Amino acid sequence: MKKPNTSSVLELGVGSGAIILSIMEEIRANSPASFPPINWMGTDISPQALSVARRNAESLGLQDNIRWKQNDWVHSLDLSSFDVIISNPPYIPTKDIESLHDTVSKWEPMLALDGGSDGLNFYRTLKSAITGTKTQTVLLEIGFDQAKQVQTIFHACAPLPRFYAVQQDLGSNDRVCVFSFEANSTRTGSNSAHHS
């Protein structure tokens, strides 16, 4: 009997698991035929964060459908084994950390906030790890004013995305960059962002 095609989804910097577990819940509720054939993995450098994510998965009855891995961003990960990569990486410039509202700085660990001098370090590292050997979709949360900079990073060198779009949040701020890559493709993607 032929096995069905199985998709794989990775969240980098999973934190409490809020994003990936919400997606899993949505698919389980609305597309039960796709669940659990999807392989899910969440990674984080923090063992404390992974412990919280595991507890949240257990509370939702999803603990048997996702793997967790303690890992430093993309290091030692084969990203080409995943169809979809999602992340809300640290994107606050170092100099702006002190001026953040207490509701953010008090509850979020520094590791989850500091994106380096311009807030873009993690996007650069991620792009350098994408090989272009697999058709993939990459969804990344960004700062409200970072869409053009992140687009530039992902179009700076091969593999180049076939498709690029920006999704806005409820406040009409740019919030998620979406990139699509074709396997073994170096063609240039769209130079203009699609907003929705």
Side-chain angles (χ1 to χ4, degrees):
M1 182 177 179
K2 184 179 179 180
K3 292 183 179 180
N5 291 330
T6 302
S7 298
S8 53
V9 179
L10 167 69
E11 182 178 4
L12 293 165
V14 73
S16 67
I19 295 175
I20 196 167
L21 294 175
S22 295
I23 295 171
M24 293 173 71
E25 274 276 79
E26 185 75 11
I27 291 176
R28 182 170 63 177
N30 297 298
S31 304
S34 300
F35 201 87
I38 298 174
N39 288 326
W40 303 88
M41 176 182 279
T43 71
D44 205 286
I45 193 173
S46 167
Q48 292 83 8
L50 289 174
S51 179
V52 173
R54 287 190 182 96
R55 291 199 300 271
N56 288 335
E58 290 171 359
S59 70
L60 295 169
L62 296 170
Q63 67 273 16
D64 295 330
N65 303 111
I66 186 168
R67 293 177 296 146
W68 307 103
K69 180 180 175 65
Q70 186 179 351
N71 200 74
D72 184 4
W73 198 228
V74 298
H75 302 295
S76 77
L77 280 177
D78 178 12
L79 297 187
S80 66
S81 62
F82 297 96
D83 299 290
V84 178
I85 299 170
I86 59 179
S87 185
N88 175 14
Y91 56 72
I92 308 297
T94 304
K95 62 180 174 55
D96 294 341
I97 298 292
E98 291 186 359
S99 62
L100 290 174
H101 194 279
D102 286 347
T103 55
V104 177
S105 59
K106 182 178 179 180
W107 299 107
E108 292 286 349
M110 187 64 64
L111 280 173
L113 299 173
D114 193 347
S117 61
D118 61 359
L120 301 171
N121 284 359
F122 288 87
Y123 302 103
R124 294 189 184 95
T125 305
L126 173 57
K127 178 55 170 67
S128 68
I130 294 175
T131 63
T133 58
K134 182 182 182 70
T135 298
Q136 291 178 307
T137 299
V138 180
L139 302 96
L140 303 171
E141 183 165 335
I142 58 171
F144 73 95
D145 58 351
Q146 293 176 328
K148 289 185 178 179
Q149 295 165 293
V150 174
Q151 179 189 10
T152 297
I153 290 170
F154 273 72
H155 284 83
C157 59
L160 301 177
R162 175 180 61 85
F163 174 81
Y164 165 67
V166 178
Q167 301 289 327
Q168 295 185 327
D169 60 22
L170 296 178
S172 298
N173 296 306
D174 291 344
R175 189 56 63 195
V176 176
C177 282
V178 182
F179 299 95
S180 178
F181 294 87
E182 283 185 347
N184 301 312
S185 174
T186 58
R187 60 186 262 190
T188 303
S190 171
N191 288 324
S192 60
H194 298 269
H195 285 75
S196 60

PDB file of all heavy atoms in Angstrom, residues 169-190:
ATOM      1  N   ASP A 169      -1.171  43.042   9.849  1.00  0.00           N
ATOM      2  CA  ASP A 169      -1.910  42.685  11.051  1.00  0.00           C
ATOM      3  C   ASP A 169      -3.206  43.481  11.128  1.00  0.00           C
ATOM      4  O   ASP A 169      -3.549  44.245  10.205  1.00  0.00           O
ATOM      5  CB  ASP A 169      -1.041  42.876  12.303  1.00  0.00           C
ATOM      6  CG  ASP A 169      -0.571  44.318  12.489  1.00  0.00           C
ATOM      7  OD1 ASP A 169      -1.217  45.249  11.936  1.00  0.00           O
ATOM      8  OD2 ASP A 169       0.437  44.526  13.191  1.00  0.00           O
ATOM      9  N   LEU A 170      -3.935  43.336  12.221  1.00  0.00           N
ATOM     10  CA  LEU A 170      -5.225  44.003  12.346  1.00  0.00           C
ATOM     11  C   LEU A 170      -5.104  45.517  12.429  1.00  0.00           C
ATOM     12  O   LEU A 170      -6.076  46.238  12.225  1.00  0.00           O
ATOM     13  CB  LEU A 170      -5.972  43.473  13.576  1.00  0.00           C
ATOM     14  CG  LEU A 170      -6.360  41.992  13.520  1.00  0.00           C
ATOM     15  CD1 LEU A 170      -7.050  41.573  14.822  1.00  0.00           C
ATOM     16  CD2 LEU A 170      -7.275  41.716  12.332  1.00  0.00           C
ATOM     17  N   GLY A 171      -3.896  45.999  12.736  1.00  0.00           N
ATOM     18  CA  GLY A 171      -3.661  47.440  12.763  1.00  0.00           C
ATOM     19  C   GLY A 171      -3.141  47.985  11.451  1.00  0.00           C
ATOM     20  O   GLY A 171      -2.688  49.129  11.387  1.00  0.00           O
ATOM     21  N   SER A 172      -3.193  47.159  10.398  1.00  0.00           N
ATOM     22  CA  SER A 172      -2.728  47.514   9.050  1.00  0.00           C
ATOM     23  C   SER A 172      -1.228  47.768   8.988  1.00  0.00           C
ATOM     24  O   SER A 172      -0.743  48.510   8.131  1.00  0.00           O
ATOM     25  CB  SER A 172      -3.491  48.751   8.520  1.00  0.00           C
ATOM     26  OG  SER A 172      -4.875  48.472   8.417  1.00  0.00           O
ATOM     27  N   ASN A 173      -0.488  47.152   9.908  1.00  0.00           N
ATOM     28  CA  ASN A 173       0.968  47.208   9.866  1.00  0.00           C
ATOM     29  C   ASN A 173       1.509  45.952   9.196  1.00  0.00           C
ATOM     30  O   ASN A 173       0.970  44.860   9.386  1.00  0.00           O
ATOM     31  CB  ASN A 173       1.545  47.279  11.290  1.00  0.00           C
ATOM     32  CG  ASN A 173       1.157  48.541  12.015  1.00  0.00           C
ATOM     33  OD1 ASN A 173       1.367  49.649  11.540  1.00  0.00           O
ATOM     34  ND2 ASN A 173       0.554  48.380  13.192  1.00  0.00           N
ATOM     35  N   ASP A 174       2.578  46.109   8.395  1.00  0.00           N
ATOM     36  CA  ASP A 174       3.243  44.941   7.836  1.00  0.00           C
ATOM     37  C   ASP A 174       3.688  44.049   8.992  1.00  0.00           C
ATOM     38  O   ASP A 174       4.339  44.511   9.933  1.00  0.00           O
ATOM     39  CB  ASP A 174       4.463  45.353   7.006  1.00  0.00           C
ATOM     40  CG  ASP A 174       4.078  46.085   5.732  1.00  0.00           C
ATOM     41  OD1 ASP A 174       2.909  46.009   5.334  1.00  0.00           O
ATOM     42  OD2 ASP A 174       4.965  46.719   5.126  1.00  0.00           O
ATOM     43  N   ARG A 175       3.350  42.746   8.925  1.00  0.00           N
ATOM     44  CA  ARG A 175       3.641  41.895  10.073  1.00  0.00           C
ATOM     45  C   ARG A 175       4.238  40.535   9.716  1.00  0.00           C
ATOM     46  O   ARG A 175       5.005  39.972  10.490  1.00  0.00           O
ATOM     47  CB  ARG A 175       2.359  41.676  10.885  1.00  0.00           C
ATOM     48  CG  ARG A 175       2.575  40.986  12.218  1.00  0.00           C
ATOM     49  CD  ARG A 175       3.586  41.740  13.079  1.00  0.00           C
ATOM     50  NE  ARG A 175       3.121  43.076  13.423  1.00  0.00           N
ATOM     51  CZ  ARG A 175       3.912  44.040  13.909  1.00  0.00           C
ATOM     52  NH1 ARG A 175       5.198  43.834  14.088  1.00  0.00           N
ATOM     53  NH2 ARG A 175       3.419  45.231  14.193  1.00  0.00           N
ATOM     54  N   VAL A 176       3.924  39.991   8.542  1.00  0.00           N
ATOM     55  CA  VAL A 176       4.457  38.682   8.162  1.00  0.00           C
ATOM     56  C   VAL A 176       4.943  38.731   6.720  1.00  0.00           C
ATOM     57  O   VAL A 176       4.203  39.141   5.822  1.00  0.00           O
ATOM     58  CB  VAL A 176       3.392  37.567   8.304  1.00  0.00           C
ATOM     59  CG1 VAL A 176       3.948  36.227   7.813  1.00  0.00           C
ATOM     60  CG2 VAL A 176       2.943  37.439   9.753  1.00  0.00           C
ATOM     61  N   CYS A 177       6.187  38.311   6.507  1.00  0.00           N
ATOM     62  CA  CYS A 177       6.722  38.140   5.164  1.00  0.00           C
ATOM     63  C   CYS A 177       6.560  36.679   4.760  1.00  0.00           C
ATOM     64  O   CYS A 177       6.861  35.775   5.542  1.00  0.00           O
ATOM     65  CB  CYS A 177       8.208  38.504   5.107  1.00  0.00           C
ATOM     66  SG  CYS A 177       8.539  40.281   5.078  1.00  0.00           S
ATOM     67  N   VAL A 178       6.086  36.462   3.549  1.00  0.00           N
ATOM     68  CA  VAL A 178       5.887  35.113   3.016  1.00  0.00           C
ATOM     69  C   VAL A 178       6.776  34.941   1.791  1.00  0.00           C
ATOM     70  O   VAL A 178       6.695  35.719   0.838  1.00  0.00           O
ATOM     71  CB  VAL A 178       4.415  34.870   2.621  1.00  0.00           C
ATOM     72  CG1 VAL A 178       4.228  33.441   2.123  1.00  0.00           C
ATOM     73  CG2 VAL A 178       3.481  35.173   3.782  1.00  0.00           C
ATOM     74  N   PHE A 179       7.620  33.931   1.825  1.00  0.00           N
ATOM     75  CA  PHE A 179       8.503  33.620   0.704  1.00  0.00           C
ATOM     76  C   PHE A 179       8.244  32.193   0.245  1.00  0.00           C
ATOM     77  O   PHE A 179       8.057  31.292   1.073  1.00  0.00           O
ATOM     78  CB  PHE A 179       9.978  33.742   1.105  1.00  0.00           C
ATOM     79  CG  PHE A 179      10.393  35.104   1.548  1.00  0.00           C
ATOM     80  CD1 PHE A 179      10.397  35.446   2.897  1.00  0.00           C
ATOM     81  CD2 PHE A 179      10.781  36.064   0.625  1.00  0.00           C
ATOM     82  CE1 PHE A 179      10.783  36.701   3.315  1.00  0.00           C
ATOM     83  CE2 PHE A 179      11.169  37.331   1.032  1.00  0.00           C
ATOM     84  CZ  PHE A 179      11.173  37.652   2.381  1.00  0.00           C
ATOM     85  N   SER A 180       8.232  31.989  -1.069  1.00  0.00           N
ATOM     86  CA  SER A 180       8.075  30.651  -1.622  1.00  0.00           C
ATOM     87  C   SER A 180       9.277  30.340  -2.499  1.00  0.00           C
ATOM     88  O   SER A 180       9.677  31.154  -3.349  1.00  0.00           O
ATOM     89  CB  SER A 180       6.783  30.571  -2.443  1.00  0.00           C
ATOM     90  OG  SER A 180       6.649  29.295  -3.029  1.00  0.00           O
ATOM     91  N   PHE A 181       9.869  29.166  -2.294  1.00  0.00           N
ATOM     92  CA  PHE A 181      11.036  28.739  -3.055  1.00  0.00           C
ATOM     93  C   PHE A 181      10.705  27.486  -3.847  1.00  0.00           C
ATOM     94  O   PHE A 181      10.028  26.582  -3.346  1.00  0.00           O
ATOM     95  CB  PHE A 181      12.221  28.432  -2.121  1.00  0.00           C
ATOM     96  CG  PHE A 181      12.748  29.625  -1.399  1.00  0.00           C
ATOM     97  CD1 PHE A 181      12.191  30.021  -0.188  1.00  0.00           C
ATOM     98  CD2 PHE A 181      13.805  30.362  -1.915  1.00  0.00           C
ATOM     99  CE1 PHE A 181      12.683  31.124   0.493  1.00  0.00           C
ATOM    100  CE2 PHE A 181      14.295  31.472  -1.245  1.00  0.00           C
ATOM    101  CZ  PHE A 181      13.740  31.858  -0.032  1.00  0.00           C
ATOM    102  N   GLU A 182      11.174  27.429  -5.096  1.00  0.00           N
ATOM    103  CA  GLU A 182      11.039  26.228  -5.904  1.00  0.00           C
ATOM    104  C   GLU A 182      12.298  25.392  -5.781  1.00  0.00           C
ATOM    105  O   GLU A 182      13.402  25.936  -5.676  1.00  0.00           O
ATOM    106  CB  GLU A 182      10.812  26.577  -7.378  1.00  0.00           C
ATOM    107  CG  GLU A 182       9.416  27.040  -7.708  1.00  0.00           C
ATOM    108  CD  GLU A 182       9.231  27.252  -9.204  1.00  0.00           C
ATOM    109  OE1 GLU A 182      10.249  27.278  -9.927  1.00  0.00           O
ATOM    110  OE2 GLU A 182       8.076  27.398  -9.635  1.00  0.00           O
ATOM    111  N   ALA A 183      12.147  24.091  -5.828  1.00  0.00           N
ATOM    112  CA  ALA A 183      13.304  23.209  -5.744  1.00  0.00           C
ATOM    113  C   ALA A 183      14.251  23.458  -6.910  1.00  0.00           C
ATOM    114  O   ALA A 183      13.816  23.543  -8.067  1.00  0.00           O
ATOM    115  CB  ALA A 183      12.848  21.752  -5.744  1.00  0.00           C
ATOM    116  N   ASN A 184      15.537  23.608  -6.575  1.00  0.00           N
ATOM    117  CA  ASN A 184      16.593  23.775  -7.575  1.00  0.00           C
ATOM    118  C   ASN A 184      16.349  24.945  -8.513  1.00  0.00           C
ATOM    119  O   ASN A 184      16.699  24.903  -9.682  1.00  0.00           O
ATOM    120  CB  ASN A 184      16.760  22.489  -8.392  1.00  0.00           C
ATOM    121  CG  ASN A 184      17.102  21.309  -7.516  1.00  0.00           C
ATOM    122  OD1 ASN A 184      17.982  21.381  -6.674  1.00  0.00           O
ATOM    123  ND2 ASN A 184      16.374  20.212  -7.706  1.00  0.00           N
ATOM    124  N   SER A 185      15.740  25.996  -7.983  1.00  0.00           N
ATOM    125  CA  SER A 185      15.463  27.178  -8.800  1.00  0.00           C
ATOM    126  C   SER A 185      16.284  28.355  -8.312  1.00  0.00           C
ATOM    127  O   SER A 185      16.406  28.598  -7.124  1.00  0.00           O
ATOM    128  CB  SER A 185      13.975  27.544  -8.743  1.00  0.00           C
ATOM    129  OG  SER A 185      13.735  28.761  -9.425  1.00  0.00           O
ATOM    130  N   THR A 186      16.854  29.107  -9.243  1.00  0.00           N
ATOM    131  CA  THR A 186      17.585  30.330  -8.904  1.00  0.00           C
ATOM    132  C   THR A 186      16.950  31.539  -9.570  1.00  0.00           C
ATOM    133  O   THR A 186      17.545  32.605  -9.615  1.00  0.00           O
ATOM    134  CB  THR A 186      19.059  30.232  -9.346  1.00  0.00           C
ATOM    135  OG1 THR A 186      19.119  29.993 -10.758  1.00  0.00           O
ATOM    136  CG2 THR A 186      19.767  29.115  -8.606  1.00  0.00           C
ATOM    137  N   ARG A 187      15.743  31.372 -10.098  1.00  0.00           N
ATOM    138  CA  ARG A 187      15.095  32.486 -10.771  1.00  0.00           C
ATOM    139  C   ARG A 187      14.722  33.568  -9.762  1.00  0.00           C
ATOM    140  O   ARG A 187      14.473  33.309  -8.596  1.00  0.00           O
ATOM    141  CB  ARG A 187      13.845  32.027 -11.515  1.00  0.00           C
ATOM    142  CG  ARG A 187      12.809  31.408 -10.609  1.00  0.00           C
ATOM    143  CD  ARG A 187      11.657  30.837 -11.398  1.00  0.00           C
ATOM    144  NE  ARG A 187      10.547  31.783 -11.429  1.00  0.00           N
ATOM    145  CZ  ARG A 187       9.345  31.478 -11.888  1.00  0.00           C
ATOM    146  NH1 ARG A 187       9.117  30.288 -12.385  1.00  0.00           N
ATOM    147  NH2 ARG A 187       8.370  32.359 -11.858  1.00  0.00           N
ATOM    148  N   THR A 188      14.638  34.778 -10.238  1.00  0.00           N
ATOM    149  CA  THR A 188      14.301  35.901  -9.371  1.00  0.00           C
ATOM    150  C   THR A 188      12.809  35.918  -9.103  1.00  0.00           C
ATOM    151  O   THR A 188      11.986  35.731 -10.003  1.00  0.00           O
ATOM    152  CB  THR A 188      14.698  37.236 -10.042  1.00  0.00           C
ATOM    153  OG1 THR A 188      16.081  37.189 -10.334  1.00  0.00           O
ATOM    154  CG2 THR A 188      14.397  38.392  -9.127  1.00  0.00           C
ATOM    155  N   GLY A 189      12.458  36.125  -7.854  1.00  0.00           N
ATOM    156  CA  GLY A 189      11.055  36.218  -7.500  1.00  0.00           C
ATOM    157  C   GLY A 189      10.516  37.598  -7.795  1.00  0.00           C
ATOM    158  O   GLY A 189      11.198  38.448  -8.363  1.00  0.00           O
ATOM    159  N   SER A 190       9.286  37.821  -7.396  1.00  0.00           N
ATOM    160  CA  SER A 190       8.646  39.106  -7.628  1.00  0.00           C
ATOM    161  C   SER A 190       9.381  40.212  -6.898  1.00  0.00           C
ATOM    162  O   SER A 190       9.764  40.072  -5.744  1.00  0.00           O
ATOM    163  CB  SER A 190       7.191  39.055  -7.150  1.00  0.00           C
ATOM    164  OG  SER A 190       6.618  40.324  -7.174  1.00  0.00           O
TER     165      SER A 190
END
